Amino acid sequence: MSKIILHIDLNAFFVRCEELLNPSLEGKPVIIGHSGRGGIVSTCSYAARKYGVKSGMPTYKALQLCKNAIMIYGHFDLYQKKSKEFINFVKKYSNIIEQASIDECYVDMTKVLQNEKNPLNFVKQMQANLLKETGLKCSIGIAPTKFLAKMGSDMKKPMGITVIRRKDVRKMLDPLPIEDFFGIGKKTSPRLREMGINTIGDLAKLINSDDQDIKRFLGKFYFGIKEWINGYGSDTVDTEPWDPKQIGHSTTLPRDAEDADEIKIYLKQMAEEVSKDAKAENKVGSSVQLILKDNEFKVINRSKRIKDKTNEFEVIYEEGLKLLAANYDGRPIRLVGITLQNLVNKDEIVEQLSIFDNYEEVKEANAVRLLIAELNRQIKGADFKTAGDYLREKKNGTH
DNA sequence: TCTGGGGTCCTAGGACCC
DNA sequence: TCTGGGGTCCTAGGACCC
């Protein structure tokens, strides 16, 4: 039996939070974003959108389009708090919930809605209750898969509800421009258009006719897209809480830096932030990545495995400095960032074999352990019984 | 027009081991 | 001494999303 998956997307979420803080903003053209160097629009109110302002647009451009716009830098703590309210609200209906970002989630409502006489009305009531209880507005997609629910929530904004049944997939998806397909972005869509694929329907026709060119072009994505576009694919709402795999910070410099000393100032600040956040999350990482973006927007990523998992500022910064020294060629740098990768929970680290001083020795000891086991099987009376014995003897010069 | 900062996942080549 | 093939880890880069 098909599941009933909801995708709930909060409308102009950051702006809505600001309106709740300051009701006089309601109905006005509000822009959330940084106005500094390279500042872009994070999100904006529907009134601002009427002037052509869009997410991702440079703020100076947005202010040209909409001269009386109200610029707000943004209160991120407030957004986090309202986001939690949103999730807690949804949990009252179903515990099978997956938070996809700060302002959207998937919910498995199969059990709740399967015996409901009028499920659409039920969801409408849910939407109204969210507004009443939290002040937040949302759009909802209802479908048998996560992909279709996501596509649905995007179709009517604000305060829309869109049902996509599997039998309606062709009718509802095919007319949409190819850019609307979740997962096809600004690099892939122009190439698809070059191939004569302008709508989701064009893509579906090619895929379902077993066209080999499109199969080759899409690579591994082909099989997933084939399911999605025909109304199949994942309907499993992942209830695991978010568990970061990397924590990073980056910043665009007030002006391009042209020497390593200047870069180090920002690198240090970013490393401090990373350490602070990693400690707050109780995470330690075993790889440090340096990110530099030059004045031509070329991004250079350099990462290095480190010996011991850490979240200490000194170690992170030190590794960043090493990567900088090894890779910086003196060109003007626009952005500096550092990321701690391969994160694990601090308490989950298996205690290191403390008698070994470093990783090489651990590796060597493991190899030796296997050898000893084999020797013990074959010969009686071996000189040493464990890898530790071997290393100790080696250190003492007796081996 | 001129492009932030936070992430995730995928690919591909080379090193290394068996 | 030269050889194959498979698996895993590391690293760099790219696409995408909000």
Side-chain angles (χ1 to χ4, degrees), chain A residues 15-28:
Chain A
V15 172
R16 187 63 193 147
C17 290
E18 296 296 339
E19 287 174 355
L20 292 169
L21 197 66
N22 176 5
S24 75
L25 292 173
E26 256 180 89
K28 291 181 183 160

mmCIF file with all atom_site columns, all heavy atoms in Angstrom, chain A residues 15-28:
data_model
loop_
_atom_site.group_PDB
_atom_site.id
_atom_site.type_symbol
_atom_site.label_atom_id
_atom_site.label_alt_id
_atom_site.label_comp_id
_atom_site.label_asym_id
_atom_site.label_entity_id
_atom_site.label_seq_id
_atom_site.pdbx_PDB_ins_code
_atom_site.Cartn_x
_atom_site.Cartn_y
_atom_site.Cartn_z
_atom_site.occupancy
_atom_site.B_iso_or_equiv
_atom_site.pdbx_formal_charge
_atom_site.auth_seq_id
_atom_site.auth_comp_id
_atom_site.auth_asym_id
_atom_site.auth_atom_id
_atom_site.pdbx_PDB_model_num
ATOM 1   N N   . VAL A 1 15 ? 11.728 35.818 7.155  1.00 0.00 ? 15 VAL A N   1
ATOM 2   C CA  . VAL A 1 15 ? 10.940 37.054 7.141  1.00 0.00 ? 15 VAL A CA  1
ATOM 3   C C   . VAL A 1 15 ? 9.757  36.935 8.104  1.00 0.00 ? 15 VAL A C   1
ATOM 4   O O   . VAL A 1 15 ? 9.446  37.858 8.851  1.00 0.00 ? 15 VAL A O   1
ATOM 5   C CB  . VAL A 1 15 ? 10.430 37.362 5.715  1.00 0.00 ? 15 VAL A CB  1
ATOM 6   C CG1 . VAL A 1 15 ? 9.460  38.535 5.734  1.00 0.00 ? 15 VAL A CG1 1
ATOM 7   C CG2 . VAL A 1 15 ? 11.592 37.641 4.770  1.00 0.00 ? 15 VAL A CG2 1
ATOM 8   N N   . ARG A 1 16 ? 9.139  35.757 8.091  1.00 0.00 ? 16 ARG A N   1
ATOM 9   C CA  . ARG A 1 16 ? 7.986  35.536 8.962  1.00 0.00 ? 16 ARG A CA  1
ATOM 10  C C   . ARG A 1 16 ? 8.389  35.664 10.437 1.00 0.00 ? 16 ARG A C   1
ATOM 11  O O   . ARG A 1 16 ? 7.653  36.242 11.243 1.00 0.00 ? 16 ARG A O   1
ATOM 12  C CB  . ARG A 1 16 ? 7.395  34.147 8.679  1.00 0.00 ? 16 ARG A CB  1
ATOM 13  C CG  . ARG A 1 16 ? 6.093  33.881 9.395  1.00 0.00 ? 16 ARG A CG  1
ATOM 14  C CD  . ARG A 1 16 ? 4.986  34.827 8.954  1.00 0.00 ? 16 ARG A CD  1
ATOM 15  N NE  . ARG A 1 16 ? 3.838  34.759 9.857  1.00 0.00 ? 16 ARG A NE  1
ATOM 16  C CZ  . ARG A 1 16 ? 3.047  35.784 10.159 1.00 0.00 ? 16 ARG A CZ  1
ATOM 17  N NH1 . ARG A 1 16 ? 3.283  36.984 9.624  1.00 0.00 ? 16 ARG A NH1 1
ATOM 18  N NH2 . ARG A 1 16 ? 2.033  35.635 10.973 1.00 0.00 ? 16 ARG A NH2 1
ATOM 19  N N   . CYS A 1 17 ? 9.562  35.149 10.772 1.00 0.00 ? 17 CYS A N   1
ATOM 20  C CA  . CYS A 1 17 ? 10.065 35.273 12.152 1.00 0.00 ? 17 CYS A CA  1
ATOM 21  C C   . CYS A 1 17 ? 10.237 36.754 12.511 1.00 0.00 ? 17 CYS A C   1
ATOM 22  O O   . CYS A 1 17 ? 9.898  37.175 13.629 1.00 0.00 ? 17 CYS A O   1
ATOM 23  C CB  . CYS A 1 17 ? 11.409 34.557 12.305 1.00 0.00 ? 17 CYS A CB  1
ATOM 24  S SG  . CYS A 1 17 ? 11.309 32.767 12.219 1.00 0.00 ? 17 CYS A SG  1
ATOM 25  N N   . GLU A 1 18 ? 10.759 37.533 11.569 1.00 0.00 ? 18 GLU A N   1
ATOM 26  C CA  . GLU A 1 18 ? 10.961 38.968 11.822 1.00 0.00 ? 18 GLU A CA  1
ATOM 27  C C   . GLU A 1 18 ? 9.622  39.675 11.997 1.00 0.00 ? 18 GLU A C   1
ATOM 28  O O   . GLU A 1 18 ? 9.483  40.565 12.836 1.00 0.00 ? 18 GLU A O   1
ATOM 29  C CB  . GLU A 1 18 ? 11.753 39.611 10.678 1.00 0.00 ? 18 GLU A CB  1
ATOM 30  C CG  . GLU A 1 18 ? 13.176 39.089 10.516 1.00 0.00 ? 18 GLU A CG  1
ATOM 31  C CD  . GLU A 1 18 ? 14.087 39.382 11.707 1.00 0.00 ? 18 GLU A CD  1
ATOM 32  O OE1 . GLU A 1 18 ? 13.778 40.311 12.491 1.00 0.00 ? 18 GLU A OE1 1
ATOM 33  O OE2 . GLU A 1 18 ? 15.099 38.673 11.862 1.00 0.00 ? 18 GLU A OE2 1
ATOM 34  N N   . GLU A 1 19 ? 8.618  39.252 11.217 1.00 0.00 ? 19 GLU A N   1
ATOM 35  C CA  . GLU A 1 19 ? 7.284  39.858 11.324 1.00 0.00 ? 19 GLU A CA  1
ATOM 36  C C   . GLU A 1 19 ? 6.660  39.566 12.684 1.00 0.00 ? 19 GLU A C   1
ATOM 37  O O   . GLU A 1 19 ? 5.967  40.416 13.250 1.00 0.00 ? 19 GLU A O   1
ATOM 38  C CB  . GLU A 1 19 ? 6.365  39.310 10.219 1.00 0.00 ? 19 GLU A CB  1
ATOM 39  C CG  . GLU A 1 19 ? 6.704  39.863 8.833  1.00 0.00 ? 19 GLU A CG  1
ATOM 40  C CD  . GLU A 1 19 ? 5.880  39.207 7.735  1.00 0.00 ? 19 GLU A CD  1
ATOM 41  O OE1 . GLU A 1 19 ? 5.120  38.256 8.022  1.00 0.00 ? 19 GLU A OE1 1
ATOM 42  O OE2 . GLU A 1 19 ? 5.991  39.645 6.577  1.00 0.00 ? 19 GLU A OE2 1
ATOM 43  N N   . LEU A 1 20 ? 6.931  38.349 13.179 1.00 0.00 ? 20 LEU A N   1
ATOM 44  C CA  . LEU A 1 20 ? 6.365  37.991 14.485 1.00 0.00 ? 20 LEU A CA  1
ATOM 45  C C   . LEU A 1 20 ? 7.017  38.808 15.591 1.00 0.00 ? 20 LEU A C   1
ATOM 46  O O   . LEU A 1 20 ? 6.388  39.145 16.588 1.00 0.00 ? 20 LEU A O   1
ATOM 47  C CB  . LEU A 1 20 ? 6.534  36.490 14.745 1.00 0.00 ? 20 LEU A CB  1
ATOM 48  C CG  . LEU A 1 20 ? 5.694  35.603 13.815 1.00 0.00 ? 20 LEU A CG  1
ATOM 49  C CD1 . LEU A 1 20 ? 6.114  34.143 13.937 1.00 0.00 ? 20 LEU A CD1 1
ATOM 50  C CD2 . LEU A 1 20 ? 4.207  35.750 14.114 1.00 0.00 ? 20 LEU A CD2 1
ATOM 51  N N   . LEU A 1 21 ? 8.298  39.150 15.369 1.00 0.00 ? 21 LEU A N   1
ATOM 52  C CA  . LEU A 1 21 ? 9.029  39.968 16.333 1.00 0.00 ? 21 LEU A CA  1
ATOM 53  C C   . LEU A 1 21 ? 8.570  41.422 16.251 1.00 0.00 ? 21 LEU A C   1
ATOM 54  O O   . LEU A 1 21 ? 8.507  42.129 17.254 1.00 0.00 ? 21 LEU A O   1
ATOM 55  C CB  . LEU A 1 21 ? 10.531 39.865 16.014 1.00 0.00 ? 21 LEU A CB  1
ATOM 56  C CG  . LEU A 1 21 ? 11.551 40.273 17.060 1.00 0.00 ? 21 LEU A CG  1
ATOM 57  C CD1 . LEU A 1 21 ? 11.481 39.328 18.259 1.00 0.00 ? 21 LEU A CD1 1
ATOM 58  C CD2 . LEU A 1 21 ? 12.959 40.254 16.462 1.00 0.00 ? 21 LEU A CD2 1
ATOM 59  N N   . ASN A 1 22 ? 8.248  41.833 15.028 1.00 0.00 ? 22 ASN A N   1
ATOM 60  C CA  . ASN A 1 22 ? 7.899  43.229 14.776 1.00 0.00 ? 22 ASN A CA  1
ATOM 61  C C   . ASN A 1 22 ? 6.749  43.287 13.766 1.00 0.00 ? 22 ASN A C   1
ATOM 62  O O   . ASN A 1 22 ? 6.978  43.435 12.557 1.00 0.00 ? 22 ASN A O   1
ATOM 63  C CB  . ASN A 1 22 ? 9.148  43.961 14.250 1.00 0.00 ? 22 ASN A CB  1
ATOM 64  C CG  . ASN A 1 22 ? 8.849  45.397 13.881 1.00 0.00 ? 22 ASN A CG  1
ATOM 65  O OD1 . ASN A 1 22 ? 7.740  45.897 14.088 1.00 0.00 ? 22 ASN A OD1 1
ATOM 66  N ND2 . ASN A 1 22 ? 9.835  46.060 13.305 1.00 0.00 ? 22 ASN A ND2 1
ATOM 67  N N   . PRO A 1 23 ? 5.500  43.185 14.251 1.00 0.00 ? 23 PRO A N   1
ATOM 68  C CA  . PRO A 1 23 ? 4.334  43.060 13.366 1.00 0.00 ? 23 PRO A CA  1
ATOM 69  C C   . PRO A 1 23 ? 4.182  44.212 12.365 1.00 0.00 ? 23 PRO A C   1
ATOM 70  O O   . PRO A 1 23 ? 3.514  44.041 11.341 1.00 0.00 ? 23 PRO A O   1
ATOM 71  C CB  . PRO A 1 23 ? 3.161  43.027 14.343 1.00 0.00 ? 23 PRO A CB  1
ATOM 72  C CG  . PRO A 1 23 ? 3.751  42.521 15.619 1.00 0.00 ? 23 PRO A CG  1
ATOM 73  C CD  . PRO A 1 23 ? 5.135  43.076 15.667 1.00 0.00 ? 23 PRO A CD  1
ATOM 74  N N   . SER A 1 24 ? 4.820  45.341 12.617 1.00 0.00 ? 24 SER A N   1
ATOM 75  C CA  . SER A 1 24 ? 4.671  46.454 11.674 1.00 0.00 ? 24 SER A CA  1
ATOM 76  C C   . SER A 1 24 ? 5.346  46.141 10.328 1.00 0.00 ? 24 SER A C   1
ATOM 77  O O   . SER A 1 24 ? 5.148  46.842 9.340  1.00 0.00 ? 24 SER A O   1
ATOM 78  C CB  . SER A 1 24 ? 5.272  47.735 12.265 1.00 0.00 ? 24 SER A CB  1
ATOM 79  O OG  . SER A 1 24 ? 6.678  47.688 12.220 1.00 0.00 ? 24 SER A OG  1
ATOM 80  N N   . LEU A 1 25 ? 6.151  45.066 10.288 1.00 0.00 ? 25 LEU A N   1
ATOM 81  C CA  . LEU A 1 25 ? 6.819  44.700 9.030  1.00 0.00 ? 25 LEU A CA  1
ATOM 82  C C   . LEU A 1 25 ? 5.867  44.004 8.056  1.00 0.00 ? 25 LEU A C   1
ATOM 83  O O   . LEU A 1 25 ? 6.149  43.921 6.860  1.00 0.00 ? 25 LEU A O   1
ATOM 84  C CB  . LEU A 1 25 ? 7.997  43.763 9.306  1.00 0.00 ? 25 LEU A CB  1
ATOM 85  C CG  . LEU A 1 25 ? 9.199  44.342 10.051 1.00 0.00 ? 25 LEU A CG  1
ATOM 86  C CD1 . LEU A 1 25 ? 10.186 43.232 10.393 1.00 0.00 ? 25 LEU A CD1 1
ATOM 87  C CD2 . LEU A 1 25 ? 9.888  45.421 9.218  1.00 0.00 ? 25 LEU A CD2 1
ATOM 88  N N   . GLU A 1 26 ? 4.749  43.494 8.586  1.00 0.00 ? 26 GLU A N   1
ATOM 89  C CA  . GLU A 1 26 ? 3.858  42.682 7.759  1.00 0.00 ? 26 GLU A CA  1
ATOM 90  C C   . GLU A 1 26 ? 3.393  43.414 6.510  1.00 0.00 ? 26 GLU A C   1
ATOM 91  O O   . GLU A 1 26 ? 3.006  44.580 6.564  1.00 0.00 ? 26 GLU A O   1
ATOM 92  C CB  . GLU A 1 26 ? 2.650  42.220 8.583  1.00 0.00 ? 26 GLU A CB  1
ATOM 93  C CG  . GLU A 1 26 ? 2.790  40.758 8.983  1.00 0.00 ? 26 GLU A CG  1
ATOM 94  C CD  . GLU A 1 26 ? 1.625  40.256 9.798  1.00 0.00 ? 26 GLU A CD  1
ATOM 95  O OE1 . GLU A 1 26 ? 0.647  39.773 9.202  1.00 0.00 ? 26 GLU A OE1 1
ATOM 96  O OE2 . GLU A 1 26 ? 1.716  40.346 11.039 1.00 0.00 ? 26 GLU A OE2 1
ATOM 97  N N   . GLY A 1 27 ? 3.486  42.707 5.387  1.00 0.00 ? 27 GLY A N   1
ATOM 98  C CA  . GLY A 1 27 ? 3.056  43.272 4.114  1.00 0.00 ? 27 GLY A CA  1
ATOM 99  C C   . GLY A 1 27 ? 4.081  44.166 3.444  1.00 0.00 ? 27 GLY A C   1
ATOM 100 O O   . GLY A 1 27 ? 3.903  44.573 2.306  1.00 0.00 ? 27 GLY A O   1
ATOM 101 N N   . LYS A 1 28 ? 5.168  44.446 4.162  1.00 0.00 ? 28 LYS A N   1
ATOM 102 C CA  . LYS A 1 28 ? 6.187  45.343 3.599  1.00 0.00 ? 28 LYS A CA  1
ATOM 103 C C   . LYS A 1 28 ? 7.290  44.556 2.889  1.00 0.00 ? 28 LYS A C   1
ATOM 104 O O   . LYS A 1 28 ? 7.497  43.383 3.168  1.00 0.00 ? 28 LYS A O   1
ATOM 105 C CB  . LYS A 1 28 ? 6.789  46.208 4.715  1.00 0.00 ? 28 LYS A CB  1
ATOM 106 C CG  . LYS A 1 28 ? 5.795  47.223 5.246  1.00 0.00 ? 28 LYS A CG  1
ATOM 107 C CD  . LYS A 1 28 ? 6.399  48.090 6.313  1.00 0.00 ? 28 LYS A CD  1
ATOM 108 C CE  . LYS A 1 28 ? 5.320  49.037 6.872  1.00 0.00 ? 28 LYS A CE  1
ATOM 109 N NZ  . LYS A 1 28 ? 5.672  49.555 8.185  1.00 0.00 ? 28 LYS A NZ  1
#
